[in-house]
């Protein structure tokens, strides 16, 4: 059978792609297989062979003349077809511009679309946590000065809980 | 004792400035701004003296490659040398790559199986910077990166691991499937395509969004333990079913490393792998740590840097053999003390 990527050479490799729970298969010739290995070595999907990219995103790669949604990033003018072709976004504002189009792709790649990890210390939540920590520390120092060690211990435990929350965030 | 099988642990965080386009390779002014902003932020955090700034355009090709071979920078950083740079903190084994695929890639490498320490080193830098600058961040999507495959935590946690018996018994195909089930990937570190010279592999997470950093570290660590168990079981099997052949490979490798005068890189990888396994199994009087350091020292670029000559062919093989002999003599004498 013919290679599904270049459609010229005879396919001699079978590549299985796991996306979430689904397994899709692609048949490649030696040349395209070598190209895929080189791309995977980089650890990202940029420049991925179109047939593998479509297996991951679960969509057929659009034919060249297909219309895109017409969305353009207002800051850097990246178009959706540019993004689909290169696999890279132009600037942070692209994430807002293409938020809708990105959801299915993020779901396929990561299995989830809600961030659960750390946040920058300058965000509101982090600032709120920091002010609360500062207030608790002041109260704890006051309690220690007044030799009210029970209250101080309670405040210390609250501080620890807050710090634990921050680590998980 | 996973350190007998895991060479090192690496954590990398991808971060971008909110107001700049991702790819700065064609924007010299903004690329410079990215570098200066990062250095100023480190200065405000009071840690700038730890770091040495190296711009790729100021380095020779050999110097750049030596940094790659030492795992201080990635190959991708060399794609646009006119704008790329790195800040190195040698004391804490931290590198901050700038103007690679993302504006910043904070990386820490620790020997053995210790992702938690590597992550802690990265988080310290991340916190120090994020107090001073505005990183591109979205409540739903997390840290925004040039490629959506890195969005979210922006974190890649990797283990560099030595799997000679899993390779010998042709188990790496099923290993690939096992790790894929939990969102990880495994690939050979040295060599082209499926070669895996030295039987050294890198196992890392592919999923970066929707999980906490702790969960990612736990998953990679758990898989690391599993791979170590599988490898140890096969080493035992090899010693039970083909003891003579296994020992022969180990001790021949030892002989070559101790006494050869010409050591081409491909042959080095073969004997190094056998000797490292022998050392891990306590059949040879050399600590695995010395062997892991050798692995970086014998790469072409480092040999050229060390001898300050542009060595080729046989001269390279001779220099490599010399470095290996010297290093093993020292390591063996220390063991004997």
């Amino acid at each position: 059978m013919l290679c599904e990527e270049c459609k010229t050479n005879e396919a001699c490799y079978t590549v299985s792609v796991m996306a979430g729970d689904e397994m899709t298969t692609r048949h490649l010739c030696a040349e395209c297989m070598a190209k895929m290995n080189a791309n995977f070595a980089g650890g990202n999907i940029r420049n991925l062979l179109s047939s593998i990219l479509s297996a991951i995103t679960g969509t057929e790669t659009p034919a060249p003349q297909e219309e895109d949604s017409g969305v353009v990033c207002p800051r850097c003018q990246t178009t959706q077809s540019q993004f689909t072709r290169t696999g890279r976004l132009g600037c942070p504002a692209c994430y807002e511009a293409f938020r809708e189009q990105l959801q299915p792709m993020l779901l396929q790649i990561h299995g989830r679309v809600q961030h659960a990890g750390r946040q920058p210390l300058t965000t509101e939540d982090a600032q709120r946590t920091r002010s609360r920590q500062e207030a608790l520390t002041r109260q704890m120092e006051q309690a220690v000065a007044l030799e009210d060690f029970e209250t101080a211990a309670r405040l210390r435990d609250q501080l620890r809980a807050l710090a634990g929350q921050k680590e998980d965030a | 004792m996973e350190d007998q099988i895991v060479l090192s642990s690496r954590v990398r965080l991808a971060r971008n400035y909110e107001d700049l386009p991702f790819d700065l390779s064609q924007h010299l002014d903004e690329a410079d701004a990215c570098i200066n902003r990062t250095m100023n932020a480190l200065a405000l955090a009071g840690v700038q003296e730890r770091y040495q700034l190296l711009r790729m355009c100021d380095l020779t090709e050999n110097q750049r490659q030596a940094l790659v071979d030492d795992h201080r920078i990635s190959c991708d950083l060399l794609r646009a040398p006119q704008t790329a740079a790195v800040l190195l903190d040698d004391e804490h084994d931290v590198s901050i790559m700038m103007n690679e695929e993302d504006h910043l890639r904070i990386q820490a490498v620790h020997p053995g199986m210790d992702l938690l320490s590597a992550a802690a080193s990265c988080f310290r830098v991340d916190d120090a910077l994020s107090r001073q600058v505005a990183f591109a961040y979205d409540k739903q999507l997390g840290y925004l990166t040039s490629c959506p495959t890195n969005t979210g935590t922006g974190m890649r946690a990797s283990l560099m691991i030595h799997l000679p018996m899993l390779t010998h018994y042709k188990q790496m195909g099923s290993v690939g499937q096992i790790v894929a089930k939990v969102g990880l990937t495994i690939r050979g570190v040295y060599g082209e395509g499926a070669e895996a010279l030295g039987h050294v592999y890198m196992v890392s997470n592919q999923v970066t969004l929707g999980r906490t950093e702790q969960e990612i570290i736990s998953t990679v660590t758990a898989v690391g333990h599993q791979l170590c168990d599988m490898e140890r079981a096969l080493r035992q099997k090899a010693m039970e079913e083909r003891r003579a052949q296994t020992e022969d490979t180990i001790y021949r490798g030892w002989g070559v490393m101790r006494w050869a005068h010409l050591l081409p890189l491909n042959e080095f990888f073969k004997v190094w792998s056998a000797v490292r396994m022998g050392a891990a199994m306590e059949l040879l009087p050399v600590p695995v740590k010395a062997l892991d350091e050798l692995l970086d020292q014998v790469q072409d670029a480092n040999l050229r840097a060390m001898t300050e000559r542009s060595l080729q062919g046989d001269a390279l093989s001779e220099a490599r053999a010399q470095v290996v002999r010297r290093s093993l003599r020292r390591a063996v004498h220390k063991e004997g003390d």
Side-chain angles (χ1 to χ4, degrees):
Chain A
M1 85 182 318
L2 282 183
C3 170
E4 288 183 73
E5 178 65 24
C6 62
K7 301 194 187 6
T8 335
N9 300 330
E10 188 71 20
C12 51
Y13 289 100
T14 304
V15 174
S16 300
V17 181
M18 291 216 57
D21 282 333
E22 277 183 18
M23 174 104 84
T24 335
T25 322
R26 288 289 181 274
H27 302 281
L28 301 178
C29 68
E31 245 171 57
C32 292
M33 182 72 186
K35 248 189 258 171
M36 188 201 74
N37 276 333
N39 288 333
F40 264 128
N44 60 52
I45 64 163
R46 190 159 52 88
N47 298 330
L48 209 54
L49 305 180
S50 58
S51 65
I52 301 293
L53 184 56
S54 69
I56 292 178
T57 61
T59 58
E60 286 305 307
T61 40
Q65 58 270 33
E66 192 178 294
E67 292 283 311
D68 64 35
S69 62
V71 178
V72 172
C73 173
R75 206 194 285 176
C76 66
Q77 268 70 53
T78 301
T79 64
Q80 188 182 342
S81 53
Q82 273 174 322
F83 157 53
T84 316
R85 198 182 57 239
T86 62
R88 287 177 73 173
L89 293 157
C91 77
C94 292
Y95 276 90
E96 186 54 49
F98 299 116
R99 191 178 285 270
E100 213 181 281
Q101 290 85 344
L102 278 168
Q103 299 294 314
M105 182 182 214
L106 291 172
L107 198 59
Q108 285 286 2
I109 297 170
H110 301 285
R112 298 175 203 179
V113 286
Q114 175 57 54
H115 177 58
R118 284 160 56 90
Q119 22 178 311
L121 290 181
T122 52
T123 59
E124 273 171 42
D125 289 339
Q127 272 173 344
R128 231 176 283 134
T129 308
R130 228 181 338 172
S131 329
R132 180 104 183 90
Q133 275 177 326
E134 281 162 14
L136 282 172
T137 311
R138 269 195 313 269
Q139 288 171 29
M140 185 177 74
E141 284 165 359
Q142 231 172 19
V144 167
L146 296 171
E147 296 193 9
D148 179 1
F149 295 118
E150 214 177 282
T151 307
R154 195 172 28 90
L155 291 164
R156 176 207 60 199
D157 292 340
Q158 283 180 36
L159 269 168
R160 276 200 193 136
L162 256 187
Q165 259 174 37
K166 200 156 78 118
E167 281 295 293
D168 295 343
Chain B
M1 271 304 299
E2 314 299 45
D3 292 9
Q4 300 303 309
I5 298 182
V6 176
L7 283 81
S8 62
S9 308
R10 189 190 75 145
V11 169
R12 175 276 270 153
L13 298 178
R15 298 287 186 260
N16 289 281
Y17 290 113
E18 213 291 315
D19 57 337
L20 298 174
F22 287 127
D23 183 1
L24 297 178
S25 58
Q26 310 301 320
H27 302 96
L28 295 173
D29 287 339
E30 274 137 320
D32 253 347
C34 170
I35 295 174
N36 291 330
R37 212 184 271 185
T38 311
M39 301 219 307
N40 286 338
L42 292 173
L44 286 170
V47 293
Q48 200 195 3
E49 340 68 61
R50 289 190 203 165
Y51 291 91
Q52 180 198 14
L53 172 70
L54 293 174
R55 292 174 193 269
M56 293 304 110
C57 57
D58 291 339
L59 302 178
T60 64
E61 258 198 53
N62 197 65
Q63 286 170 324
R64 295 174 197 169
Q65 188 57 42
L67 286 173
V68 173
D69 290 342
D70 281 341
H71 314 289
R72 304 311 305 275
I73 66 173
S74 67
C75 307
D76 287 336
L77 194 66
L78 303 184
R79 252 194 233 138
Q82 69 276 14
T83 45
V86 67
L87 285 161
L88 295 178
D89 173 3
D90 284 331
E91 197 193 322
H92 302 93
D93 273 312
V94 169
S95 327
I96 307 176
M97 289 182 274
M98 291 174 288
N99 302 328
E100 201 231 45
E101 193 181 291
D102 293 294
H103 298 153
L104 297 180
R105 289 216 162 175
I106 304 164
Q107 177 186 279
V109 181
H110 280 236
M113 172 99 108
D114 194 359
L115 283 170
L116 278 175
S117 299
S121 298
C122 287
F123 293 153
R124 267 194 293 273
V125 179
D126 186 31
D127 283 344
L129 288 174
S130 78
R131 280 193 185 95
Q132 316 293 344
V133 301
F135 282 146
Y137 176 85
D138 180 271
K139 268 199 143 74
Q140 187 209 358
L141 302 176
Y143 288 97
L144 304 179
T145 51
S146 145
C147 189
T149 51
N150 288 312
T151 255
T153 56
M155 178 163 116
R156 197 165 296 275
S158 318
L159 295 173
M160 198 149 106
I161 189 167
H162 182 222
L163 303 175
M165 287 296 101
L166 277 167
T167 315
H168 171 79
Y169 282 103
K170 300 200 181 345
Q171 294 299 298
M172 291 312 294
S174 25
V175 165
Q177 287 177 347
I178 292 172
V179 307
K181 283 203 171 73
V182 284
L184 306 192
T185 181
I186 186 163
R187 61 171 180 88
V189 173
Y190 298 99
E192 303 292 322
E195 259 183 311
L197 294 176
H199 310 125
V200 177
Y201 297 87
M202 180 89 72
V203 56
S204 34
N205 64 298
Q206 280 198 299
V207 171
T208 53
L209 177 62
R211 284 153 183 75
T212 65
E213 287 83 0
Q214 185 58 54
E215 280 169 350
I216 293 173
I217 289 173
S218 300
T219 308
V220 179
T221 304
V223 166
H225 283 303
Q226 194 182 357
L227 291 178
C228 287
D229 287 343
M230 289 166 72
E231 173 67 23
R232 269 191 291 262
L234 286 181
R235 288 181 188 191
Q236 203 177 339
K237 177 178 154 103
M239 288 302 270
E240 281 165 10
E241 294 176 3
R242 41 194 312 276
R243 177 178 217 104
Q245 295 91 326
T246 309
E247 282 182 340
D248 187 60
T249 310
I250 291 171
Y251 286 106
R252 269 177 196 269
W254 180 237
V256 167
M257 285 185 86
R258 284 284 271 142
W259 304 112
H261 278 243
L262 288 176
L263 200 45
L265 192 55
N266 277 12
E267 189 182 355
F268 168 83
F269 275 120
K270 281 206 192 84
V271 295
W272 177 90
S273 178
V275 165
R276 195 187 192 279
M277 187 171 90
M281 292 163 72
E282 295 182 354
L283 294 174
L284 294 172
V286 60
V288 291
K289 192 165 189 285
L291 293 168
D292 293 347
E293 282 166 8
L294 253 188
L295 190 57
D296 294 343
Q297 288 161 4
V298 303
Q299 301 300 322
D300 292 356
N302 270 329
L303 289 174
R304 291 184 183 121
M306 187 196 73
T307 58
E308 289 173 359
R309 285 151 57 209
S310 50
L311 304 166
Q312 303 285 345
D314 272 358
L316 256 182
S317 298
E318 194 179 355
R320 182 172 299 114
Q322 217 170 32
V323 167
V324 170
R325 288 200 314 273
R326 243 184 254 149
S327 164
L328 290 189
R329 240 193 338 262
R330 260 198 312 264
V332 165
H333 283 148
K334 268 171 82 172
E335 285 281 292
D337 288 344

